[in-house]
């Protein structure tokens, strides 16, 4: 287990309420997923501290686990902030790396192309470091699509047509599942129609 000792200080609930979602915190690694007592992990508030009501706050660790904490509870591990002038040190669990969960499109990809791809990745990061956990291959048609986000209609039906903004042009399969759409908007995928300028020329 790779850990690092850092100088830190424990935060009160009042101090937590003054923090934002980009402030890096440290919470106990004794969670449902990690189960490592006496150790801490980096985390971020799920919403700005000023929006919290009551004594419990929710944070998301860098390992994507959401946990609730009671900063003022002496029986809990508490929430810490890195501080060189802090009164103590905490043991922080380090990351071994990241697991990529992505859709990778290899143009004209076949077994030879994938073998070359894996070889290049291993050469970049070291032999036996990159592990292929799951591999699902399928042929995809050569079709371009437009990805829009369309405002979700509210109120009476038959009103104004919904507003639409184009987010991307892509080759099938699309990135629509991976794009973060605005609140109140939904993804729309259509076959790509090139814009034709039929303005008469002189």
């Amino acid at each position: 287990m790779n850990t690092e000792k850092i100088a830190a200080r424990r935060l009160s609930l009042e101090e937590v309420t003054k923090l934002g979602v980009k402030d890096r915190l440290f919470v106990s690694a004794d969670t449902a997923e990690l189960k490592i007592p006496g150790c801490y992990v980096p985390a971020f508030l799920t919403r700005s501290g000023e929006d919290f009501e009551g004594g419990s706050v929710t944070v998301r660790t860098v390992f994507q686990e959401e946990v609730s904490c009671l900063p003022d509870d002496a029986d809990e591990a508490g929430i810490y902030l890195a501080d060189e002038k802090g009164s103590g040190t905490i043991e922080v669990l380090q990351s071994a790396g990241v697991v990529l969960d992505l859709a990778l499109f290899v143009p004209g990809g076949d077994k030879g192309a994938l073998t070359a791809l894996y070889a290049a990745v291993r050469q970049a990061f070291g032999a036996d470091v990159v592990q292929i956990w799951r591999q699902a291959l399928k042929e995809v048609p050569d079709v371009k699509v437009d990805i829009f986000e369309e405002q979700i209609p509210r109120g009476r039906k038959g009103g104004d047509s919904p507003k639409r903004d184009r987010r991307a042009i892509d080759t099938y399969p699309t990135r629509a599942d991976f794009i973060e759409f605005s609140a109140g908007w939904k993804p729309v995928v259509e076959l790509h129609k090139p814009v034709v300028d039929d303005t008469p020329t002189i």
Side-chain angles (χ1 to χ4, degrees):
M1 187 170 68
N2 185 20
T3 62
E4 177 188 10
K5 287 187 177 180
I6 68 165
R9 64 183 175 87
R10 181 169 177 157
L11 299 177
S12 66
L13 178 59
E14 184 179 353
E15 290 176 303
V16 172
T17 59
K18 296 176 181 177
L19 299 178
V21 294
K22 294 184 179 179
D23 291 304
R24 187 179 175 92
L25 311 167
F26 298 95
V27 297
S28 175
D30 191 9
T31 65
E33 186 176 312
L34 294 171
K35 300 183 177 69
I36 307 175
C39 195
Y40 288 78
V41 293
F44 300 88
L45 294 174
T46 56
R47 54 179 175 159
S48 182
E50 62 187 14
D51 296 333
F52 284 111
E53 297 177 0
S56 178
V57 295
T58 304
V59 301
R60 179 181 290 107
T61 72
V62 292
F63 306 117
Q64 303 305 309
E65 183 180 9
E66 285 195 8
V67 293
S68 295
C69 309
L70 291 168
D72 286 336
D73 191 335
D75 295 329
E76 287 206 5
I79 297 177
Y80 283 80
L81 189 69
D83 187 349
E84 292 182 359
K85 298 178 182 178
S87 58
T89 60
I90 58 174
E91 199 90 14
V92 177
L93 180 65
Q94 300 298 298
S95 171
V98 296
V99 176
L100 295 178
D101 186 5
L102 50 78
L104 185 62
F105 173 61
V106 182
D110 55 18
K111 188 174 182 180
L114 293 175
T115 300
L117 175 65
Y118 296 150
V121 174
R122 288 194 172 98
Q123 184 176 1
F125 296 101
D128 300 326
V129 173
V130 177
Q131 301 174 33
I132 312 302
W133 290 94
R134 181 174 62 245
Q135 177 177 282
L137 306 179
K138 68 175 182 178
E139 295 283 338
V140 294
D142 185 11
V143 177
K144 284 188 176 178
V145 293
D146 289 315
I147 303 175
F148 298 92
E149 63 175 4
E150 190 175 90
Q151 203 166 29
I152 298 173
R154 293 181 179 176
R156 294 180 304 171
K157 293 183 178 179
D160 295 334
S161 58
K163 295 180 182 177
R164 176 179 289 190
D165 289 326
R166 185 159 76 184
R167 294 298 302 271
I169 299 175
D170 208 349
T171 302
Y172 182 89
T174 76
R175 288 174 296 178
D177 293 338
F178 304 97
I179 294 178
E180 291 188 11
F181 288 88
S182 309
W185 296 68
K186 64 180 179 180
V188 177
V189 179
E190 296 179 352
L191 287 176
H192 177 59
K193 295 178 181 178
V195 177
V196 178
D197 185 356
D198 56 2
T199 304
T201 57
I202 297 174

